[in-house]
Amino acid sequence: MSARARLRRSAAVAFVSAITAGSALLLTACDPSADANADAAKSGSAAPSAATGSPSAPASAAPSASASASTTASPSAPASPSSSASAPADRPSATPTKAALNLTKGTGLTISNGTRYVVMDGKVVDFGTVVRDLAWSPDGKHAAFIDGNGNLETADPDGNHKVLVAKAPSGVTWSHPTWQVFTPNGSESFDLKAKNNLLFTADDHGALRLFGVPAQADATPKPLSLGTFSDDNVKPLPETGNQWLNAGGRFGSAVYANKNDGQVYLRDDYLRQQGAAVSKGSQPDLSDEGDLVFVRSVDGHDHLFTKTGGYNGPERDITPKATVDYTEPTFSSDGATIAFRAPDGIYTMPAKGGTPKKVSDTVGLPAFRG
């Protein structure tokens, strides 16, 4: 039996015996207000730009039944991480205006537009600093984000009790933090230590690398180990070009994309930080049950694909009728719902496929809080 097969079997046994911790699905979004976008442009914050067109699926007057599930978001453009040139925290920033369609109340949906204001469940929260790439801890009690100075911070949901985790080196852009958490439940038959880490992408003059850091004050980030399986004729994994990291599951598994080869990679933190490419695509997210959702271009438009069953599982295009780009997908904590961005707003849909339901005409990146 190959090392990869043994790992899959061990991980499967571990997952069955474990209590899965919930993960947040964060969707960061760009506010439709011209004032907010103009302010973001003046301040240099990385507010995503709006696209034109409308999705092929009709807008719905109400969110889907599963839209209240928790979700996690990806906050940068598809091909590259978000910019680090953000406004100082004390510079005024326009408050997001009310969207024409806002069905987020009661859903747990979080929308961040690259300013200091974050929409949470229909309300606007002032974090007091520029917030980029917001990501929730699995329990929804803390947010991680890149601040106006390009540094990594955490805060409570109301923006208070900020903790400066680490400062980005000069000339290096950090983006897309994700929370890697594991709490031993006492029934594990193997020696696993607790995890409370933040993983993120570092852009060092065009070289994209993955880093990890303990989620605590004044911590020191270290490069993320990217080992290969011990199968025959295995090539080393690419060390650069890696981005769009998302963690999921109890044991610290993560998924990321490589900008250079166009592959999605799955990384297993269960034994020796091993991993391999699983499919062509970008902007992946990983459910706590090990399912993947990612973006792939089909006939000139970005479609959403899911992959179940790990490395060799089947793939499915869940948006086969898309006539515009569907991007930045993210799972709900129960894996049943996917939220994503379309040119005219934020949508949700069942992870098994179905008709997208529009929940906001705010154009940007979406996410649900756990």
Side-chain angles (χ1 to χ4, degrees), residues 93-164:
S93 183
T95 306
T97 57
K98 185 177 181 181
L101 176 66
N102 184 358
L103 301 176
T104 63
K105 186 176 181 179
T107 67
L109 180 64
T110 300
I111 299 175
S112 169
N113 70 347
T115 69
R116 57 192 279 180
Y117 299 97
V118 178
V119 177
M120 295 183 185
D121 204 27
K123 298 179 180 180
V124 177
V125 178
D126 184 356
F127 269 58
T129 183
V130 169
V131 174
R132 291 194 295 107
D133 299 5
L134 183 66
W136 289 107
S137 60
D139 60 9
K141 294 181 179 180
H142 298 91
F145 59 93
I146 306 300
D147 67 16
N149 296 313
N151 301 321
L152 181 61
E153 289 195 48
T154 61
D156 290 348
D158 60 3
N160 292 323
H161 300 106
K162 294 184 183 66
V163 174
L164 179 59

Side-chain angles (χ1 to χ4, degrees), residues 57-276:
S60 172
S64 59
S66 57
S68 61
S70 278
T71 40
T72 309
S74 42
S76 46
S80 62
S82 48
S83 170
S84 62
S86 302
D90 58 353
R91 181 175 296 180
S93 183
T95 306
T97 57
K98 185 177 181 181
L101 176 66
N102 184 358
L103 301 176
T104 63
K105 186 176 181 179
T107 67
L109 180 64
T110 300
I111 299 175
S112 169
N113 70 347
T115 69
R116 57 192 279 180
Y117 299 97
V118 178
V119 177
M120 295 183 185
D121 204 27
K123 298 179 180 180
V124 177
V125 178
D126 184 356
F127 269 58
T129 183
V130 169
V131 174
R132 291 194 295 107
D133 299 5
L134 183 66
W136 289 107
S137 60
D139 60 9
K141 294 181 179 180
H142 298 91
F145 59 93
I146 306 300
D147 67 16
N149 296 313
N151 301 321
L152 181 61
E153 289 195 48
T154 61
D156 290 348
D158 60 3
N160 292 323
H161 300 106
K162 294 184 183 66
V163 174
L164 179 59
V165 176
K167 293 184 177 181
S170 177
V172 178
T173 302
W174 287 354
S175 66
H176 206 279
T178 184
W179 225 295
Q180 182 196 48
V181 173
F182 166 64
T183 302
N185 62 16
S187 65
E188 269 76 31
S189 59
F190 34 79
D191 182 22
L192 289 178
K193 297 181 180 179
K195 297 178 185 292
N196 186 21
N197 301 320
L198 291 169
L199 314 180
F200 61 92
T201 298
D203 184 348
D204 187 354
H205 300 88
L208 303 173
R209 293 182 174 88
L210 305 181
F211 279 76
V213 63
Q216 62 189 42
D218 302 321
T220 301
K222 296 181 179 179
L224 204 60
S225 174
L226 301 175
T228 60
F229 291 102
S230 58
D231 298 344
D232 295 335
N233 303 317
V234 174
K235 296 181 180 179
L237 300 183
E239 295 290 337
T240 62
N242 297 319
Q243 59 182 357
W244 211 278
L245 187 64
N246 277 307
R250 290 191 69 240
F251 299 99
S253 297
V255 65
Y256 62 94
N258 187 274
K259 180 181 177 181
N260 300 327
D261 64 13
Q263 294 275 3
V264 171
Y265 288 82
L266 187 58
R267 177 184 183 271
D268 200 318
D269 208 306
Y270 176 57
L271 291 178
R272 299 184 180 88
Q273 296 80 50
Q274 298 169 321

